[in-house]
């Protein structure tokens, strides 16, 4: 597989995590001991030039991307199809995410996502991005679990739940939700908190990636490249 590389220019944000490693040539600063690195994008990144991500000569190749597909039960990201096609052409492992709206019925959100997202072998599991708390933690958890189970039943793979560390502690503290892999947003730290059981870590929102104007979120996978390959979808229903 052709892995797309990136150039991460932290200046002057390298204080956001310690320790770090990288190369003087590219001014790269990344958390130690993680080899699988990726980004997440939506229409907010504008027109991404996937072809400008040149793999030659870069030490830290970008290996995955999560792309916003839908929000709530009736909004499809205007750049989803274009971003998905570009990322696949670039050789990235691709995942799609649903931005969860607690005020919209879970079944409507899951059904709309399913109508717009088809998985292929090599894709990553679907993600539900949870950032709004709704009326109460109990109602949020109930609705989120319903949506997760619908997606799991349809795609035959367990979805991932994205949230910040503090949001998860306050509003998603439920053993049933702990059964689903966690993608944790946690900035200004060397590592996520010791009690955080996470699969993916979004460690900064201040990365600079070739082909994308402005800042990008950067993420690492908590495991080896072989374990990452095992995370990808092997077959589709």
């Amino acid at each position: 597989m052709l892995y797309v590389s990136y150039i991460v220019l932290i200046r002057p944000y390298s204080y956001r995590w310690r320790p770090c490693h990288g190369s003087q040539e590219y001014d790269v600063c990344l958390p130690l001991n993680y080899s699988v690195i990726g980004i997440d994008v939506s229409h907010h990144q504008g027109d991404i030039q996937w072809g400008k991500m040149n793999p030659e000569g870069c030490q830290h190749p970008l290996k995955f991307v999560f792309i916003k597909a839908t929000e709530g039960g009736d909004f499809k990201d205007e750049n989803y199809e274009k971003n998905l096609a570009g990322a696949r052409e670039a050789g990235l492992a691709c995942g799609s995410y649903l931005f969860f709206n607690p005020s919209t019925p879970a079944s409507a959100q899951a059904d709309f996502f399913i109508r717009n997202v088809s998985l292929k072998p090599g894709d990553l599991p679907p993600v539900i991005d949870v950032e709004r708390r709704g009326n109460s933690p109990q109602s949020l958890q109930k609705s989120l679990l319903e949506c997760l189970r619908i997606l799991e039943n349809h795609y035959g793979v367990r979805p991932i739940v994205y949230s910040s560390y503090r949001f998860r502690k306050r509003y998603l503290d439920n053993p049933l939700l702990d059964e689903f892999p966690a993608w944790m947003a946690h900035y200004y730290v060397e590592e996520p908190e010791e009690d955080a059981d996470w699969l993916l870590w979004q460690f900064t929102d201040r990365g600079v990636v070739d082909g994308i104007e402005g800042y990008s979120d950067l993420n690492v996978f908590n495991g080896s490249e072989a374990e990452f390959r095992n995370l990808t979808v092997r077959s589709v229903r």
Side-chain angles (χ1 to χ4, degrees):
M1 176 182 289
L2 171 64
Y3 287 134
V4 179
S5 69
Y6 63 93
I7 300 175
V8 183
L9 303 177
I10 302 304
R11 25 165 239 279
Y13 300 100
S14 59
Y15 69 86
R16 288 187 171 221
W17 53 87
R18 287 290 185 270
C20 65
H21 71 84
S23 73
Q24 183 176 0
E25 179 181 1
Y26 296 119
D27 193 20
V28 175
C29 187
L30 301 168
L32 283 171
N33 302 321
Y34 300 103
S35 61
V36 182
I37 305 161
I39 59 173
D40 53 276
V41 301
S42 71
H43 66 278
H44 293 296
Q45 276 66 51
D47 186 16
I48 299 175
Q49 304 298 308
W50 297 98
K52 289 186 177 180
M53 299 181 187
N54 181 4
E56 295 183 5
C58 192
Q59 292 183 354
H60 308 289
L62 187 68
K63 296 180 180 177
F64 67 88
V65 57
F66 284 98
I67 303 167
K68 183 176 181 179
T70 64
E71 179 174 338
D74 58 4
F75 175 83
K76 181 178 180 180
D77 190 285
E78 62 195 54
N79 288 352
Y80 173 65
E81 300 290 353
K82 180 168 61 175
N83 282 336
L84 184 63
R88 281 179 170 159
E89 179 68 21
L92 294 172
C94 296
S96 302
Y97 73 87
L98 182 169
F99 188 92
F100 194 73
N101 185 346
S103 64
T104 301
S107 59
Q109 298 191 65
D111 290 345
F112 187 69
F113 184 86
I114 288 168
R115 291 202 302 271
N116 286 283
V117 176
S118 298
L119 298 187
K120 294 183 177 181
D123 283 350
L124 294 165
V127 170
I128 300 183
D129 176 348
V130 191
E131 302 181 35
R132 299 175 181 171
R133 63 185 183 181
N135 294 327
S136 70
Q138 293 74 24
S139 63
L140 173 61
Q141 292 166 22
K142 180 180 179 180
S143 183
L144 176 57
L145 280 166
E146 180 183 354
C147 192
L148 286 164
R149 286 167 176 154
I150 294 172
L151 295 186
E152 182 178 14
N153 182 64
H154 176 79
Y155 292 109
V157 62
R158 185 152 289 185
I160 298 167
V161 177
Y162 169 94
S163 69
S164 72
Y165 169 75
R166 290 182 177 85
F167 189 95
R168 190 175 185 91
K169 292 287 286 185
R170 291 176 181 176
Y171 305 111
L172 304 180
D173 185 12
N174 185 320
L176 294 176
L177 287 171
D178 291 341
E179 297 175 7
F180 294 87
W183 176 6
M184 198 78 65
H186 205 183
Y187 306 156
Y188 305 99
V189 295
E190 295 179 9
E191 293 279 346
E193 297 294 333
E194 291 184 1
D195 63 345
D197 184 12
W198 58 276
L199 179 73
L200 296 157
W201 171 27
Q202 186 182 91
F203 62 90
T204 185
D205 58 355
R206 290 294 187 269
V208 177
V209 178
D210 276 358
I212 301 178
E213 293 186 6
Y215 295 124
S216 297
D217 300 332
L218 298 179
N219 308 271
V220 292
F221 170 73
N222 191 15
S224 66
E225 295 195 27
E227 290 170 322
F228 179 76
R229 288 192 294 272
N230 287 334
L231 177 67
T232 59
V233 175
R234 300 298 180 88
S235 62
V236 295
R237 293 181 175 180

